Amino acid sequence: MQQDMREEADRRFQEALEHSGVRDPRELCRESLRELKGTDPSGYDRAVNHFQTVLVPSIASGRVEPLQAWREYGCLLAEAVTAGRTVAIDDTGRAHPYQPDSPMEWLVLHLPEKKAARALVVSLPVKPSRAQKATFELLVKGGQRLPEK
């Protein structure tokens, strides 16, 4: 991957991040990559290849909105970690099928097909609603109590 392309993609991403006020999705992606590296090395290699050949060039060229592109990459990583479906949780707690243009303020979770497996976080809003916090506690952390206000 060319260094200039990577720098341009990073610049566009940082600019979009600063103007949006949304949470940086890269740490969630790094967590999924670490898990893949340990459990599925070939899946990890495919994810890194996608990063280098699809994600970075598409952001650097301006063909895609950087934050949505990273969220899509997060969905790809979650599916590589475990089969399942991805949903977007609005501020009322209602689940919707995930769409690339789902609002950035929605909580995005990947729900594994495996019984009793915890949901994987794809995207977190900066200020989750009470309903989104409760959904996160139940599906990601496995908690049984409502979170404090």
Side-chain angles (χ1 to χ4, degrees):
M1 177 179 2
Q2 297 174 341
Q3 186 63 25
D4 291 346
M5 185 183 305
R6 178 68 187 266
E7 289 172 1
E8 179 62 16
D10 287 344
R11 185 193 67 74
R12 287 178 185 267
F13 173 78
Q14 282 299 349
E15 187 176 281
L17 191 62
E18 289 168 10
H19 287 92
S20 71
V22 302
R23 190 180 303 254
D24 188 335
R26 295 175 298 181
E27 185 54 40
L28 294 170
C29 290
R30 287 183 195 109
E31 288 176 26
S32 293
L33 281 168
R34 279 191 291 273
E35 184 168 345
L36 264 179
K37 191 172 188 176
T39 61
D40 182 6
S42 65
Y44 172 81
D45 291 341
R46 285 190 302 276
V48 170
N49 183 58
H50 183 89
F51 172 82
Q52 294 172 339
T53 63
V54 177
L55 182 66
V56 170
S58 65
I59 293 173
S61 70
R63 289 192 317 262
V64 298
E65 196 285 320
L67 297 173
Q68 287 180 333
W70 270 96
R71 189 168 63 177
E72 281 294 299
Y73 184 59
C75 289
L76 179 134
L77 292 173
E79 185 65 34
V81 169
T82 184
R85 65 186 175 99
T86 304
V87 297
I89 312 297
D90 68 21
D91 60 347
T92 69
R94 184 168 183 230
H96 305 267
Y98 170 75
Q99 300 294 323
D101 63 348
S102 295
M104 295 303 286
E105 302 83 31
W106 288 7
L107 170 65
V108 179
L109 300 174
H110 183 74
L111 307 175
E113 289 176 357
K114 295 177 186 173
K115 299 270 190 239
R118 298 233 171 104
L120 302 175
V121 180
V122 173
S123 178
L124 284 167
V126 172
K127 294 182 180 181
S129 69
R130 183 170 166 83
Q132 289 169 328
K133 287 178 186 177
T135 302
F136 178 89
E137 284 293 319
L138 179 64
L139 298 179
V140 176
K141 290 189 171 182
Q144 299 294 317
R145 296 186 331 223
L146 288 176
E148 299 298 319
K149 283 189 178 182

